[in-house]
Amino acid sequence: MYLALLKLIKMNKYLKLALIFVFGLTLIGLTMVSCSKNETPDYNVELREYPVQYRADLDSIDKYLNTHYIASVDADFNITFAKIPTGGTQLSIRAQQNYPLQFINVQNDTHGVNYKIYYLKLREGTNESTTSVDSIYVSYKGTLLKNTQFDYSETPVWFQLENVVAGWGEIIPLFKTGTYDTAPGPNPSTFSNFGAGVMFLPSGMAYYNQMPSSLIPPYSPLIFSFKLKSQKSRDHDRDGILSKHEVNPAIANQKPKDYDSDGDGTANYLDIDDDGDRYMTKVELLRPYLRGANNVMTPNGYFPFNGAAVDNPLTPNIDERQGVPRKFTGPNNPANNLPTPLPSDYTDSSRLRRYLDPTSFPPFE
């Protein structure tokens, strides 16, 4: 198993499902079964048109779902599939209702394809949701439609969802993480109530014409079963706003890569100045400085994206209920002729936060 072998050389944080060329050709063939020297992958693969290949992939996946059944699901949500024998009475993956077959549609304008991705939700999970720009801690197994296993890791592995095959970023966010079990025991990485599922990916949502190992032919639809144990929210541009929040709230299910509020060609989650007012987003998140003895001004931290439900009485200088404010709407301060804040400026759910408002910049008050 090439991912597991990479872990053994302490490169966990660099692991990716899309391993093509990342660690060099020396890793090819490090799979769960030995490969002879004559089984070297052929990289001179003819590029096919995405719509044509997608139709072939979807046909293959549909046939698999109609001719295979769920052979077993154990207590830890390890799942196996088997082909329905001639005359068999087993319900197909599509027909069975223990774990109803579901699907989403994903429009990919680059490919010119509206991908249909089937998945099974064995358990949704009970803890945190994740997004396509976050990092996940996940156990998984990958197989071809002929049930050949090409990768496996029961020990959870950290992945950045942006750096794995595209289908993961579409399906994994439909699940939630588990709860970490802190009880002492021989296995310190124990999680309960984690999300578990299966995705059936057309090759355009997987490796397409690439070959990460000799076990995965080009243009292969893939099946991944997975268990989502934990996740970490990322801040790509380190501007103080988590990447998952860098979307337009007026557009349902918008992805961070599609949100460029100032039209400068850089998506907000990668842009250190989201509104193009030449003040860094991080500067616009600063709380007012505290005035101490002898008029000494000291920093007071940053506003969070959203405020907390209640104020912490142990921090009298900070009102935790306040999130990033909008342009202040209160009366002008006679001393500087600048508007003053109202409580709603910090909490109104529809407010245009000031780091997204090019007319709002320091000094704010």
PDB file of all heavy atoms in Angstrom, residues 125-147:
ATOM      1  N   GLY A 125     -22.468  10.653  10.875  1.00  0.00           N
ATOM      2  CA  GLY A 125     -21.553  11.243  11.844  1.00  0.00           C
ATOM      3  C   GLY A 125     -22.291  12.261  12.698  1.00  0.00           C
ATOM      4  O   GLY A 125     -23.366  12.738  12.339  1.00  0.00           O
ATOM      5  N   THR A 126     -21.717  12.601  13.829  1.00  0.00           N
ATOM      6  CA  THR A 126     -22.438  13.440  14.795  1.00  0.00           C
ATOM      7  C   THR A 126     -21.694  14.687  15.232  1.00  0.00           C
ATOM      8  O   THR A 126     -22.244  15.492  15.985  1.00  0.00           O
ATOM      9  CB  THR A 126     -22.762  12.614  16.060  1.00  0.00           C
ATOM     10  OG1 THR A 126     -21.534  12.178  16.668  1.00  0.00           O
ATOM     11  CG2 THR A 126     -23.626  11.412  15.732  1.00  0.00           C
ATOM     12  N   ASN A 127     -20.457  14.883  14.796  1.00  0.00           N
ATOM     13  CA  ASN A 127     -19.679  15.985  15.349  1.00  0.00           C
ATOM     14  C   ASN A 127     -19.573  17.142  14.353  1.00  0.00           C
ATOM     15  O   ASN A 127     -20.551  17.760  14.003  1.00  0.00           O
ATOM     16  CB  ASN A 127     -18.296  15.481  15.784  1.00  0.00           C
ATOM     17  CG  ASN A 127     -17.602  16.412  16.759  1.00  0.00           C
ATOM     18  OD1 ASN A 127     -18.158  17.434  17.169  1.00  0.00           O
ATOM     19  ND2 ASN A 127     -16.395  16.079  17.141  1.00  0.00           N
ATOM     20  N   GLU A 128     -18.396  17.432  13.847  1.00  0.00           N
ATOM     21  CA  GLU A 128     -18.179  18.601  13.010  1.00  0.00           C
ATOM     22  C   GLU A 128     -18.423  18.310  11.531  1.00  0.00           C
ATOM     23  O   GLU A 128     -18.114  17.224  11.042  1.00  0.00           O
ATOM     24  CB  GLU A 128     -16.741  19.102  13.163  1.00  0.00           C
ATOM     25  CG  GLU A 128     -16.380  19.632  14.535  1.00  0.00           C
ATOM     26  CD  GLU A 128     -14.942  20.108  14.563  1.00  0.00           C
ATOM     27  OE1 GLU A 128     -14.036  19.289  14.363  1.00  0.00           O
ATOM     28  OE2 GLU A 128     -14.730  21.312  14.780  1.00  0.00           O
ATOM     29  N   SER A 129     -18.929  19.311  10.843  1.00  0.00           N
ATOM     30  CA  SER A 129     -18.970  19.262   9.385  1.00  0.00           C
ATOM     31  C   SER A 129     -17.626  19.749   8.846  1.00  0.00           C
ATOM     32  O   SER A 129     -16.888  20.466   9.526  1.00  0.00           O
ATOM     33  CB  SER A 129     -20.098  20.144   8.854  1.00  0.00           C
ATOM     34  OG  SER A 129     -21.351  19.671   9.283  1.00  0.00           O
ATOM     35  N   THR A 130     -17.316  19.374   7.629  1.00  0.00           N
ATOM     36  CA  THR A 130     -16.089  19.834   6.997  1.00  0.00           C
ATOM     37  C   THR A 130     -16.435  20.405   5.633  1.00  0.00           C
ATOM     38  O   THR A 130     -17.578  20.321   5.180  1.00  0.00           O
ATOM     39  CB  THR A 130     -15.063  18.695   6.891  1.00  0.00           C
ATOM     40  OG1 THR A 130     -13.776  19.221   6.537  1.00  0.00           O
ATOM     41  CG2 THR A 130     -15.492  17.652   5.866  1.00  0.00           C
ATOM     42  N   THR A 131     -15.475  21.034   4.973  1.00  0.00           N
ATOM     43  CA  THR A 131     -15.698  21.596   3.647  1.00  0.00           C
ATOM     44  C   THR A 131     -14.578  21.168   2.720  1.00  0.00           C
ATOM     45  O   THR A 131     -13.573  20.593   3.151  1.00  0.00           O
ATOM     46  CB  THR A 131     -15.757  23.141   3.688  1.00  0.00           C
ATOM     47  OG1 THR A 131     -14.422  23.667   3.856  1.00  0.00           O
ATOM     48  CG2 THR A 131     -16.657  23.636   4.815  1.00  0.00           C
ATOM     49  N   SER A 132     -14.724  21.495   1.452  1.00  0.00           N
ATOM     50  CA  SER A 132     -13.758  21.063   0.437  1.00  0.00           C
ATOM     51  C   SER A 132     -12.405  21.751   0.574  1.00  0.00           C
ATOM     52  O   SER A 132     -11.460  21.372  -0.126  1.00  0.00           O
ATOM     53  CB  SER A 132     -14.322  21.309  -0.966  1.00  0.00           C
ATOM     54  OG  SER A 132     -14.566  22.699  -1.165  1.00  0.00           O
ATOM     55  N   VAL A 133     -12.291  22.762   1.448  1.00  0.00           N
ATOM     56  CA  VAL A 133     -11.003  23.446   1.626  1.00  0.00           C
ATOM     57  C   VAL A 133     -10.391  23.139   2.984  1.00  0.00           C
ATOM     58  O   VAL A 133      -9.434  23.796   3.403  1.00  0.00           O
ATOM     59  CB  VAL A 133     -11.149  24.975   1.447  1.00  0.00           C
ATOM     60  CG1 VAL A 133     -11.470  25.317   0.009  1.00  0.00           C
ATOM     61  CG2 VAL A 133     -12.211  25.544   2.389  1.00  0.00           C
ATOM     62  N   ASP A 134     -10.907  22.129   3.674  1.00  0.00           N
ATOM     63  CA  ASP A 134     -10.393  21.766   4.990  1.00  0.00           C
ATOM     64  C   ASP A 134      -9.503  20.528   4.898  1.00  0.00           C
ATOM     65  O   ASP A 134      -9.355  19.920   3.836  1.00  0.00           O
ATOM     66  CB  ASP A 134     -11.557  21.514   5.957  1.00  0.00           C
ATOM     67  CG  ASP A 134     -12.328  22.790   6.272  1.00  0.00           C
ATOM     68  OD1 ASP A 134     -11.705  23.869   6.255  1.00  0.00           O
ATOM     69  OD2 ASP A 134     -13.543  22.710   6.515  1.00  0.00           O
ATOM     70  N   SER A 135      -8.939  20.160   6.041  1.00  0.00           N
ATOM     71  CA  SER A 135      -8.140  18.942   6.145  1.00  0.00           C
ATOM     72  C   SER A 135      -8.949  17.889   6.891  1.00  0.00           C
ATOM     73  O   SER A 135      -9.702  18.214   7.821  1.00  0.00           O
ATOM     74  CB  SER A 135      -6.832  19.212   6.888  1.00  0.00           C
ATOM     75  OG  SER A 135      -6.000  20.091   6.155  1.00  0.00           O
ATOM     76  N   ILE A 136      -8.789  16.641   6.493  1.00  0.00           N
ATOM     77  CA  ILE A 136      -9.579  15.565   7.091  1.00  0.00           C
ATOM     78  C   ILE A 136      -8.660  14.456   7.600  1.00  0.00           C
ATOM     79  O   ILE A 136      -7.555  14.241   7.086  1.00  0.00           O
ATOM     80  CB  ILE A 136     -10.581  14.971   6.080  1.00  0.00           C
ATOM     81  CG1 ILE A 136      -9.858  14.463   4.819  1.00  0.00           C
ATOM     82  CG2 ILE A 136     -11.642  15.993   5.733  1.00  0.00           C
ATOM     83  CD1 ILE A 136     -10.739  13.640   3.898  1.00  0.00           C
ATOM     84  N   TYR A 137      -9.139  13.764   8.630  1.00  0.00           N
ATOM     85  CA  TYR A 137      -8.450  12.624   9.218  1.00  0.00           C
ATOM     86  C   TYR A 137      -9.340  11.426   8.955  1.00  0.00           C
ATOM     87  O   TYR A 137     -10.425  11.305   9.523  1.00  0.00           O
ATOM     88  CB  TYR A 137      -8.280  12.874  10.710  1.00  0.00           C
ATOM     89  CG  TYR A 137      -7.352  11.939  11.442  1.00  0.00           C
ATOM     90  CD1 TYR A 137      -6.055  11.692  10.990  1.00  0.00           C
ATOM     91  CD2 TYR A 137      -7.756  11.330  12.631  1.00  0.00           C
ATOM     92  CE1 TYR A 137      -5.196  10.870  11.687  1.00  0.00           C
ATOM     93  CE2 TYR A 137      -6.914  10.504  13.340  1.00  0.00           C
ATOM     94  CZ  TYR A 137      -5.624  10.276  12.865  1.00  0.00           C
ATOM     95  OH  TYR A 137      -4.772   9.453  13.569  1.00  0.00           O
ATOM     96  N   VAL A 138      -8.913  10.551   8.061  1.00  0.00           N
ATOM     97  CA  VAL A 138      -9.842   9.585   7.495  1.00  0.00           C
ATOM     98  C   VAL A 138      -9.180   8.227   7.279  1.00  0.00           C
ATOM     99  O   VAL A 138      -7.997   8.142   6.935  1.00  0.00           O
ATOM    100  CB  VAL A 138     -10.411  10.130   6.156  1.00  0.00           C
ATOM    101  CG1 VAL A 138      -9.318  10.332   5.133  1.00  0.00           C
ATOM    102  CG2 VAL A 138     -11.512   9.254   5.601  1.00  0.00           C
ATOM    103  N   SER A 139      -9.941   7.170   7.538  1.00  0.00           N
ATOM    104  CA  SER A 139      -9.568   5.821   7.107  1.00  0.00           C
ATOM    105  C   SER A 139     -10.285   5.553   5.788  1.00  0.00           C
ATOM    106  O   SER A 139     -11.379   6.067   5.563  1.00  0.00           O
ATOM    107  CB  SER A 139     -10.011   4.782   8.143  1.00  0.00           C
ATOM    108  OG  SER A 139      -9.473   5.062   9.408  1.00  0.00           O
ATOM    109  N   TYR A 140      -9.695   4.736   4.924  1.00  0.00           N
ATOM    110  CA  TYR A 140     -10.318   4.546   3.619  1.00  0.00           C
ATOM    111  C   TYR A 140      -9.839   3.264   2.945  1.00  0.00           C
ATOM    112  O   TYR A 140      -8.825   2.662   3.338  1.00  0.00           O
ATOM    113  CB  TYR A 140      -9.992   5.736   2.704  1.00  0.00           C
ATOM    114  CG  TYR A 140      -8.534   5.800   2.333  1.00  0.00           C
ATOM    115  CD1 TYR A 140      -8.072   5.252   1.135  1.00  0.00           C
ATOM    116  CD2 TYR A 140      -7.605   6.380   3.184  1.00  0.00           C
ATOM    117  CE1 TYR A 140      -6.724   5.282   0.800  1.00  0.00           C
ATOM    118  CE2 TYR A 140      -6.261   6.422   2.868  1.00  0.00           C
ATOM    119  CZ  TYR A 140      -5.820   5.870   1.682  1.00  0.00           C
ATOM    120  OH  TYR A 140      -4.484   5.887   1.375  1.00  0.00           O
ATOM    121  N   LYS A 141     -10.594   2.868   1.933  1.00  0.00           N
ATOM    122  CA  LYS A 141     -10.220   1.745   1.056  1.00  0.00           C
ATOM    123  C   LYS A 141     -10.628   2.106  -0.352  1.00  0.00           C
ATOM    124  O   LYS A 141     -11.712   2.653  -0.568  1.00  0.00           O
ATOM    125  CB  LYS A 141     -10.911   0.454   1.499  1.00  0.00           C
ATOM    126  CG  LYS A 141     -10.578  -0.754   0.615  1.00  0.00           C
ATOM    127  CD  LYS A 141     -11.213  -2.028   1.148  1.00  0.00           C
ATOM    128  CE  LYS A 141     -12.699  -2.058   0.963  1.00  0.00           C
ATOM    129  NZ  LYS A 141     -13.298  -3.365   1.329  1.00  0.00           N
ATOM    130  N   GLY A 142      -9.757   1.827  -1.320  1.00  0.00           N
ATOM    131  CA  GLY A 142     -10.057   2.101  -2.716  1.00  0.00           C
ATOM    132  C   GLY A 142     -10.062   0.838  -3.536  1.00  0.00           C
ATOM    133  O   GLY A 142      -9.155   0.005  -3.424  1.00  0.00           O
ATOM    134  N   THR A 143     -11.111   0.668  -4.372  1.00  0.00           N
ATOM    135  CA  THR A 143     -11.195  -0.504  -5.243  1.00  0.00           C
ATOM    136  C   THR A 143     -11.643  -0.085  -6.632  1.00  0.00           C
ATOM    137  O   THR A 143     -12.242   0.972  -6.825  1.00  0.00           O
ATOM    138  CB  THR A 143     -12.189  -1.552  -4.701  1.00  0.00           C
ATOM    139  OG1 THR A 143     -13.490  -0.967  -4.651  1.00  0.00           O
ATOM    140  CG2 THR A 143     -11.793  -2.025  -3.313  1.00  0.00           C
ATOM    141  N   LEU A 144     -11.356  -0.950  -7.596  1.00  0.00           N
ATOM    142  CA  LEU A 144     -11.874  -0.783  -8.944  1.00  0.00           C
ATOM    143  C   LEU A 144     -13.271  -1.407  -9.026  1.00  0.00           C
ATOM    144  O   LEU A 144     -13.718  -2.083  -8.098  1.00  0.00           O
ATOM    145  CB  LEU A 144     -10.949  -1.463  -9.950  1.00  0.00           C
ATOM    146  CG  LEU A 144      -9.479  -1.037  -9.949  1.00  0.00           C
ATOM    147  CD1 LEU A 144      -8.696  -1.871 -10.966  1.00  0.00           C
ATOM    148  CD2 LEU A 144      -9.330   0.436 -10.232  1.00  0.00           C
ATOM    149  N   LEU A 145     -13.948  -1.217 -10.143  1.00  0.00           N
ATOM    150  CA  LEU A 145     -15.273  -1.811 -10.314  1.00  0.00           C
ATOM    151  C   LEU A 145     -15.219  -3.332 -10.398  1.00  0.00           C
ATOM    152  O   LEU A 145     -16.243  -3.995 -10.200  1.00  0.00           O
ATOM    153  CB  LEU A 145     -15.954  -1.247 -11.563  1.00  0.00           C
ATOM    154  CG  LEU A 145     -16.317   0.239 -11.522  1.00  0.00           C
ATOM    155  CD1 LEU A 145     -17.128   0.609 -12.763  1.00  0.00           C
ATOM    156  CD2 LEU A 145     -17.087   0.607 -10.268  1.00  0.00           C
ATOM    157  N   LYS A 146     -14.060  -3.885 -10.667  1.00  0.00           N
ATOM    158  CA  LYS A 146     -13.940  -5.350 -10.659  1.00  0.00           C
ATOM    159  C   LYS A 146     -13.566  -5.861  -9.268  1.00  0.00           C
ATOM    160  O   LYS A 146     -13.156  -7.012  -9.106  1.00  0.00           O
ATOM    161  CB  LYS A 146     -12.926  -5.809 -11.699  1.00  0.00           C
ATOM    162  CG  LYS A 146     -11.522  -5.246 -11.502  1.00  0.00           C
ATOM    163  CD  LYS A 146     -10.597  -5.711 -12.622  1.00  0.00           C
ATOM    164  CE  LYS A 146      -9.179  -5.139 -12.447  1.00  0.00           C
ATOM    165  NZ  LYS A 146      -8.283  -5.579 -13.540  1.00  0.00           N
ATOM    166  N   ASN A 147     -13.721  -4.977  -8.267  1.00  0.00           N
ATOM    167  CA  ASN A 147     -13.484  -5.287  -6.855  1.00  0.00           C
ATOM    168  C   ASN A 147     -12.028  -5.540  -6.519  1.00  0.00           C
ATOM    169  O   ASN A 147     -11.713  -6.094  -5.455  1.00  0.00           O
ATOM    170  CB  ASN A 147     -14.348  -6.473  -6.391  1.00  0.00           C
ATOM    171  CG  ASN A 147     -15.820  -6.096  -6.286  1.00  0.00           C
ATOM    172  OD1 ASN A 147     -16.164  -4.924  -6.128  1.00  0.00           O
ATOM    173  ND2 ASN A 147     -16.698  -7.085  -6.404  1.00  0.00           N
TER     174      ASN A 147
END
